[in-house]
Amino acid sequence: MQITEAPLAVTVVVGSNRHGRFGPVVADWLLDRMRDRDDLAPTVLDVAEADLPTTFAPTTEARAALSAVTPKLAAADAFVVLTPEYNHSYPAALKNLIDWHFTEWRAKPVAFVSYGGISGGLRAVEHLRQVFAELHTVTLRDTVSFHNAATSFDGGRLKDPTAANAAAKVMLDQLVWWGRGLREARGKRGYRGKGGRGVQF
């Protein structure tokens, strides 16, 4: 008898809140790929809608902002972080979201979709790998990157989706493999790890 596993709960983090950002275009493309699959259940967390202060003070406003954000991270079996590249790294708003949390990330896989100019956002991804290692995640080797992203899309659609769609399939297949394995491990054995921590009220 074949046992059907529950779809993997994946939180897609849209990592830029800048005026005129291109992230929603890339996010829509990614979500279309994810919704075509019955093994993924995506949820979106957009940093532009997460009004988290940078002071980490336990204020009423901070608590209210976290109440809309933290459950989306805590409920996830896995993450896809979508990031542009600003000055050879990733956006401040994304780092702020990451730093407000710790246990919500632990023992879960993280995949990356990046976009930018000639580098395709890959330098931002390399910096994020170091951060997520401290948070006890498993980052996936294979990514999806859009070089010269603004000219790759026309009216919100990729001009030539062949390579990007193939790369997305590889990445999402890996995310499902790691996500299911780590979900089972957390359920059976839990996870204990020392290191970085988020803000505790």
Side-chain angles (χ1 to χ4, degrees):
M1 181 178 68
Q2 184 176 3
I3 298 174
T4 302
E5 293 194 52
L8 198 69
V10 181
T11 295
V12 177
V13 179
V14 182
S16 172
N17 63 353
R18 284 198 177 186
H19 174 73
R21 64 192 180 140
F22 195 72
V25 174
V26 181
D28 286 345
W29 168 85
L30 174 65
L31 289 166
D32 283 345
R33 306 286 78 70
M34 297 178 75
R35 288 168 181 152
D36 284 341
R37 302 174 60 124
D38 58 10
D39 53 359
L40 298 174
T43 298
V44 177
L45 198 173
D46 190 338
V47 297
E49 299 172 3
D51 191 19
L52 292 171
T54 58
T55 60
F56 300 101
T59 62
T60 301
E61 292 76 15
R63 291 176 190 272
L66 286 169
S67 70
V69 172
T70 303
K72 292 184 178 181
L73 299 179
D77 297 314
F79 304 97
V80 180
V81 175
L82 193 158
T83 183
E85 182 177 315
Y86 299 155
N87 298 323
H88 284 224
S89 195
Y90 56 92
L94 177 55
K95 185 62 161 65
N96 194 41
L97 170 72
I98 293 169
D99 287 350
W100 269 101
H101 300 88
F102 175 50
T103 57
E104 293 79 8
W105 304 111
R106 291 195 308 175
K108 299 176 183 179
V110 180
F112 300 104
V113 174
S114 64
Y115 61 95
I118 193 170
S119 74
L122 291 174
R123 291 173 292 207
V125 169
E126 291 308 303
H127 287 183
L128 281 166
R129 290 187 190 280
Q130 298 175 59
V131 173
F132 277 111
E134 177 66 13
L135 296 172
H136 296 257
T137 71
V138 175
T139 60
L140 304 192
R141 176 194 178 277
D142 291 276
T143 66
V144 180
S145 61
F146 292 98
H147 304 259
N148 300 312
T151 61
S152 298
F153 287 80
D154 184 16
R157 293 184 174 274
L158 270 175
K159 295 176 181 177
D160 181 3
T162 306
N165 286 354
K169 183 181 186 310
V170 170
M171 181 191 74
L172 294 173
D173 284 349
Q174 291 179 4
L175 191 68
V176 169
W177 191 92
W178 280 104
R180 285 176 170 171
L182 290 171
R183 179 172 64 186
E184 179 182 353
R186 290 194 312 274
K188 288 183 177 180
R189 293 178 290 278
Y191 182 79
R192 292 188 178 184
K194 297 179 180 179
R197 59 185 293 276
V199 176
Q200 312 248 338
F201 287 161

